[in-house]
Amino acid sequence: MLTDIKSFTREELEAQFKGWDEPVYRVKQLMDWLYVQRVTDWDAMSNLSKPLREKLRQQFSLGTLKLVRQQGSRDTTRKFLWQLADGAFIESVLIPANPSLYGEVSDRHTLCVSTQVGCAYGCKFCASGLDGWKRNLFPHEIIEQVLCVERHCAAEEAATGGKTATSFPGTRIVDNLVIMGMGEPLANYDNLLKALRLLNSPWGGRIGARKITVSTSGLAPQIRKLADEPEQFSLAVSLHGATDAVRGRIMPVNKKYPLAELTNALAYYRDQRGRFITFEYILIAGVNDALDQTRPLATLARNLNAKVNLIPYNQVEGLPWARPDDETCEQFLRALKALKVVCTLRREKGGDIDAACGQLRLKTEREMADSSQP
Ligand code: SAH
Ligand code: SF4
């Protein structure tokens, strides 16, 4: 089995090219084909000689992801379900900055990508962890989510005769990347960092490090490790509870890394980076939405210079949790603001298409299981 070329760094490819007696500047040309032109065929790499293309073909695979299902439409939040080479399913969600209401094309997009098949952390409200963890994604499987979505959008636009920048092969359509799809990114640390470096580098994906946000359920040791990396990736923490009692009820990871340990790691991150952290706080009715939770949450946020994103819970079929009514969410927001916390409340994008992580995969797997029953 050959490994996909997008799982190799520039340095690794340069070493390979030296071994072949090929000039190393060819690696830059190769990476341009992969990350800017997004080609899926060795023969499209017209400025590389035929013998070199042959050597590449013998040594590496050049794969893509298979699109099996899509929800949403151009310029609304849309969700892509991919099948990997081993048959497993993962999801990516594309969110336009300005969802189009009147048919105009949005040119700024955030893409949410997955890092694992399933998730081992088993948060009680989340669809991704329901069937446990299957495996880590390879770097190229993380990267291909970006490239596949872009190929797809460019092809779609070309087909409809669109004349915006999107239709040019070299244009980056995804300008913000959030690592908030299926899986716990910091539990797949090495592959994640390799993929993010390739997507960030000036000879690769060219997405600014600050425009890449890694979301974690709170793996304290890996947060410290991330704080020591040279790149300025942004960090979001899925907090969802501001006391150990509330957080422990819905997030088993809180037993391993209770709030005291998590906040120590975050303080280290803040001191190393001098940057804002984001706290994600899903509002779940009767679990963490009482107004008395705003005080401990405000204390944590202010101590750590964290901004708080309040997100009304997205119902998952088969799970007992529900979102609070709109007024409860607005009240929670007002109370936090009164405590001088920088915070926002997400007023739905994508809830209608099962946009929360893991839901489309779960639905598809359940449908497949149903249809295979006699
Ligand atoms: N494992 C990482 C990243 C993936 S989850 C993490 O937990 O941070 C991405 C975000 O989606 C997390 O904040 C998670 O708590 C949230 N999420 C999961 N299920 C959800 C649901 N049903 N409704 C709203 N947000 C959900
Ligand atoms: Fe895993 Fe994140 Fe879902 Fe928790 S919220 S189960 S860590 S994907």
Short mmCIF file of all heavy atoms in Angstrom, two decimals, residues 116 118-130 180-185 215-219 238 240 250-253 282 357, ligand 2:
data_model
loop_
_atom_site.label_atom_id
_atom_site.label_comp_id
_atom_site.label_asym_id
_atom_site.label_seq_id
_atom_site.Cartn_x
_atom_site.Cartn_y
_atom_site.Cartn_z
N GLN A 116 -10.84 12.55 13.19
CA GLN A 116 -10.86 11.13 13.53
C GLN A 116 -12.15 10.52 12.99
O GLN A 116 -13.11 11.24 12.72
CB GLN A 116 -10.86 10.94 15.06
CG GLN A 116 -9.64 11.51 15.75
CD GLN A 116 -9.64 11.22 17.25
OE1 GLN A 116 -10.62 11.44 17.94
NE2 GLN A 116 -8.52 10.70 17.74
N GLY A 118 -15.13 8.75 14.30
CA GLY A 118 -15.68 8.57 15.63
C GLY A 118 -14.89 9.38 16.65
O GLY A 118 -14.03 10.18 16.28
N CYS A 119 -15.17 9.15 17.91
CA CYS A 119 -14.44 9.88 18.96
C CYS A 119 -14.48 9.05 20.24
O CYS A 119 -15.51 8.46 20.57
CB CYS A 119 -15.07 11.25 19.20
SG CYS A 119 -14.18 12.21 20.44
N ALA A 120 -13.35 9.03 20.94
CA ALA A 120 -13.26 8.20 22.14
C ALA A 120 -13.74 8.92 23.39
O ALA A 120 -13.85 8.31 24.44
CB ALA A 120 -11.80 7.78 22.34
N TYR A 121 -14.04 10.21 23.28
CA TYR A 121 -14.25 11.00 24.50
C TYR A 121 -15.68 10.96 25.03
O TYR A 121 -15.92 11.35 26.17
CB TYR A 121 -13.69 12.42 24.31
CG TYR A 121 -12.19 12.32 24.36
CD1 TYR A 121 -11.46 11.96 23.24
CD2 TYR A 121 -11.51 12.46 25.56
CE1 TYR A 121 -10.09 11.77 23.30
CE2 TYR A 121 -10.14 12.26 25.64
CZ TYR A 121 -9.44 11.92 24.50
OH TYR A 121 -8.09 11.71 24.58
N GLY A 122 -16.61 10.51 24.17
CA GLY A 122 -17.94 10.17 24.66
C GLY A 122 -18.71 11.26 25.40
O GLY A 122 -19.39 10.95 26.37
N CYS A 123 -18.60 12.52 24.96
CA CYS A 123 -19.42 13.56 25.58
C CYS A 123 -20.88 13.15 25.40
O CYS A 123 -21.28 12.69 24.33
CB CYS A 123 -19.14 14.92 24.95
SG CYS A 123 -17.42 15.38 25.09
N LYS A 124 -21.66 13.34 26.45
CA LYS A 124 -22.99 12.74 26.49
C LYS A 124 -23.97 13.32 25.48
O LYS A 124 -24.99 12.72 25.17
CB LYS A 124 -23.59 12.90 27.89
CG LYS A 124 -22.77 12.27 28.99
CD LYS A 124 -23.17 10.81 29.18
CE LYS A 124 -22.68 10.24 30.50
NZ LYS A 124 -21.24 10.00 30.53
N PHE A 125 -23.68 14.51 24.98
CA PHE A 125 -24.61 15.22 24.10
C PHE A 125 -24.24 15.07 22.63
O PHE A 125 -24.93 15.58 21.75
CB PHE A 125 -24.58 16.72 24.44
CG PHE A 125 -23.17 17.24 24.54
CD1 PHE A 125 -22.46 17.56 23.39
CD2 PHE A 125 -22.53 17.35 25.77
CE1 PHE A 125 -21.15 18.00 23.47
CE2 PHE A 125 -21.21 17.78 25.84
CZ PHE A 125 -20.52 18.11 24.70
N CYS A 126 -23.12 14.40 22.32
CA CYS A 126 -22.52 14.51 20.99
C CYS A 126 -22.73 13.26 20.16
O CYS A 126 -22.55 12.13 20.64
CB CYS A 126 -21.03 14.78 21.15
SG CYS A 126 -20.14 14.84 19.59
N ALA A 127 -23.09 13.46 18.88
CA ALA A 127 -23.34 12.33 17.99
C ALA A 127 -22.04 11.64 17.56
O ALA A 127 -22.03 10.44 17.28
CB ALA A 127 -24.09 12.82 16.75
N SER A 128 -20.93 12.39 17.55
CA SER A 128 -19.67 11.81 17.04
C SER A 128 -19.15 10.68 17.88
O SER A 128 -18.48 9.77 17.39
CB SER A 128 -18.59 12.89 16.98
OG SER A 128 -18.88 13.82 16.01
N GLY A 129 -19.42 10.75 19.18
CA GLY A 129 -18.84 9.75 20.07
C GLY A 129 -19.75 8.57 20.33
O GLY A 129 -19.38 7.64 21.03
N LEU A 130 -20.96 8.60 19.75
CA LEU A 130 -21.96 7.59 20.11
C LEU A 130 -21.51 6.15 19.85
O LEU A 130 -21.82 5.25 20.62
CB LEU A 130 -23.28 7.86 19.38
CG LEU A 130 -24.20 8.91 20.01
CD1 LEU A 130 -25.49 9.03 19.24
CD2 LEU A 130 -24.48 8.55 21.47
N MET A 180 -13.28 21.34 14.08
CA MET A 180 -14.41 21.11 14.99
C MET A 180 -15.35 20.05 14.45
O MET A 180 -16.49 19.96 14.89
CB MET A 180 -15.24 22.40 15.12
CG MET A 180 -14.57 23.48 15.89
SD MET A 180 -15.74 24.78 16.25
CE MET A 180 -14.64 25.97 17.00
N GLY A 181 -14.90 19.28 13.49
CA GLY A 181 -15.74 18.21 12.98
C GLY A 181 -15.65 17.01 13.91
O GLY A 181 -15.41 17.16 15.11
N MET A 182 -15.79 15.84 13.32
CA MET A 182 -15.79 14.65 14.15
C MET A 182 -14.39 14.39 14.72
O MET A 182 -13.38 14.56 14.05
CB MET A 182 -16.19 13.48 13.26
CG MET A 182 -16.53 12.24 14.03
SD MET A 182 -16.71 10.88 12.91
CE MET A 182 -17.77 11.57 11.70
N GLY A 183 -14.37 13.98 16.00
CA GLY A 183 -13.10 13.56 16.61
C GLY A 183 -12.50 14.61 17.52
O GLY A 183 -12.90 15.77 17.52
N GLU A 184 -11.55 14.16 18.32
CA GLU A 184 -10.83 15.07 19.22
C GLU A 184 -9.47 15.35 18.58
O GLU A 184 -8.58 14.49 18.58
CB GLU A 184 -10.69 14.41 20.60
CG GLU A 184 -9.75 15.11 21.57
CD GLU A 184 -9.93 16.62 21.67
OE1 GLU A 184 -11.03 17.09 21.99
OE2 GLU A 184 -8.94 17.34 21.45
N PRO A 185 -9.30 16.55 18.01
CA PRO A 185 -8.08 16.82 17.23
C PRO A 185 -6.79 16.62 18.03
O PRO A 185 -5.81 16.08 17.51
CB PRO A 185 -8.22 18.29 16.82
CG PRO A 185 -9.46 18.81 17.45
CD PRO A 185 -10.24 17.67 17.99
N SER A 215 -10.26 23.09 18.00
CA SER A 215 -11.20 22.99 19.12
C SER A 215 -10.92 21.70 19.89
O SER A 215 -10.82 20.62 19.30
CB SER A 215 -12.63 22.97 18.58
OG SER A 215 -13.54 22.75 19.64
N THR A 216 -10.81 21.81 21.20
CA THR A 216 -10.55 20.61 22.00
C THR A 216 -11.53 20.50 23.16
O THR A 216 -12.01 21.52 23.67
CB THR A 216 -9.10 20.60 22.56
OG1 THR A 216 -8.95 19.44 23.39
CG2 THR A 216 -8.80 21.84 23.38
N SER A 217 -11.80 19.27 23.55
CA SER A 217 -12.66 19.05 24.71
C SER A 217 -11.87 19.27 26.00
O SER A 217 -12.44 19.16 27.09
CB SER A 217 -13.22 17.63 24.66
OG SER A 217 -12.15 16.70 24.67
N GLY A 218 -10.58 19.58 25.87
CA GLY A 218 -9.83 19.96 27.07
C GLY A 218 -8.70 19.02 27.46
O GLY A 218 -8.54 18.70 28.64
N LEU A 219 -7.89 18.57 26.49
CA LEU A 219 -6.77 17.68 26.82
C LEU A 219 -5.59 18.55 27.30
O LEU A 219 -4.84 19.12 26.49
CB LEU A 219 -6.35 16.85 25.60
CG LEU A 219 -7.45 16.06 24.88
CD1 LEU A 219 -6.83 15.01 23.96
CD2 LEU A 219 -8.41 15.40 25.85
N SER A 238 -14.00 23.42 24.30
CA SER A 238 -15.40 23.07 24.54
C SER A 238 -15.58 22.98 26.04
O SER A 238 -15.21 21.97 26.65
CB SER A 238 -15.71 21.71 23.88
OG SER A 238 -15.60 21.85 22.50
N HIS A 240 -18.63 24.04 28.11
CA HIS A 240 -19.98 23.50 28.35
C HIS A 240 -20.39 23.36 29.81
O HIS A 240 -21.50 22.94 30.11
CB HIS A 240 -20.20 22.16 27.63
CG HIS A 240 -19.78 22.15 26.20
ND1 HIS A 240 -19.82 23.25 25.38
CD2 HIS A 240 -19.30 21.15 25.42
CE1 HIS A 240 -19.38 22.94 24.18
NE2 HIS A 240 -19.06 21.68 24.17
N ILE A 250 -21.70 15.91 31.85
CA ILE A 250 -21.87 15.74 30.39
C ILE A 250 -20.57 15.44 29.64
O ILE A 250 -20.60 14.98 28.51
CB ILE A 250 -22.55 16.98 29.75
CG1 ILE A 250 -21.90 18.28 30.24
CG2 ILE A 250 -24.06 16.97 30.01
CD1 ILE A 250 -22.46 19.54 29.62
N MET A 251 -19.42 15.67 30.30
CA MET A 251 -18.15 15.43 29.62
C MET A 251 -17.24 14.54 30.46
O MET A 251 -16.56 15.00 31.39
CB MET A 251 -17.45 16.77 29.31
CG MET A 251 -18.27 17.65 28.38
SD MET A 251 -17.43 19.19 27.95
CE MET A 251 -16.14 18.61 26.84
N PRO A 252 -17.17 13.24 30.11
CA PRO A 252 -16.32 12.32 30.89
C PRO A 252 -14.85 12.78 30.96
O PRO A 252 -14.17 12.47 31.93
CB PRO A 252 -16.44 11.00 30.11
CG PRO A 252 -17.74 11.10 29.36
CD PRO A 252 -17.94 12.56 29.06
N VAL A 253 -14.39 13.53 29.97
CA VAL A 253 -12.99 13.98 29.97
C VAL A 253 -12.68 14.85 31.19
O VAL A 253 -11.53 14.96 31.62
CB VAL A 253 -12.65 14.75 28.66
CG1 VAL A 253 -13.38 16.08 28.58
CG2 VAL A 253 -11.16 14.96 28.48
N ILE A 282 -22.15 25.14 24.87
CA ILE A 282 -23.46 24.75 24.32
C ILE A 282 -24.47 24.95 25.43
O ILE A 282 -24.24 24.52 26.56
CB ILE A 282 -23.53 23.25 23.98
CG1 ILE A 282 -22.31 22.76 23.24
CG2 ILE A 282 -24.76 22.93 23.17
CD1 ILE A 282 -22.42 21.26 22.98
N CYS A 357 -21.58 18.27 14.84
CA CYS A 357 -20.65 17.26 14.37
C CYS A 357 -21.19 15.83 14.53
O CYS A 357 -21.80 15.50 15.53
CB CYS A 357 -19.30 17.42 15.04
SG CYS A 357 -19.25 17.09 16.80
FE1 SF4 B 2 -15.61 13.94 20.91
FE2 SF4 B 2 -15.76 16.63 20.78
FE3 SF4 B 2 -17.96 15.09 20.46
FE4 SF4 B 2 -16.82 15.28 22.86
S1 SF4 B 2 -17.77 16.94 21.69
S2 SF4 B 2 -17.52 13.37 21.87
S3 SF4 B 2 -14.66 15.38 22.34
S4 SF4 B 2 -16.17 15.16 19.13
#
